[in-house]
Amino acid sequence: VRLWNVQDGTCYRILSRHRDSVYSVAFSPSGDYLASGSLAGQLYVWDVDKGVHIRSFKGKGDIFEVAWNKEETRVASCFSSNVVEVIDFEP
């Protein structure tokens, strides 16, 4: 996952942990965290400023969508196995 500076077009940060293609990403409401979901069913939550992985979750099936609730306390991921997993998040 690459984060880009939209003002000058430079790569701001590379978040390396996924082994398979990432299909969905979502910033938390505050912008402090990023959730990324891969075709291998792996969900990672990142600290954007530090560029580090802080949480992970492995589900069954490929992840097609990730989303945060407005309170930034949960992350949902939609799997190809027709399952939506909602995990609690505490930084």
Side-chain angles (χ1 to χ4, degrees), residues 17-88:
R17 193 164 183 97
H18 286 284
R19 295 176 192 238
D20 290 289
S21 298
V22 173
Y23 203 78
S24 181
V25 296
F27 283 98
S28 65
S30 68
D32 293 336
Y33 305 101
L34 179 77
S36 58
S38 75
L39 293 182
Q42 190 69 50
L43 171 74
Y44 292 122
V45 178
W46 308 86
D47 181 304
V48 173
D49 286 336
K50 295 177 184 174
V52 295
H53 156 259
I54 56 173
R55 298 280 188 277
S56 61
F57 177 81
K58 175 73 171 147
K60 294 182 179 169
D62 302 332
I63 295 177
F64 291 133
E65 190 69 44
V66 295
W68 292 85
N69 69 336
K70 68 178 182 175
E71 294 84 11
E72 202 168 276
T73 58
R74 292 189 177 103
V75 183
S77 51
C78 177
F79 290 87
S80 61
S81 57
N82 295 324
V83 171
V84 174
E85 293 279 350
V86 179
I87 61 169
D88 291 327

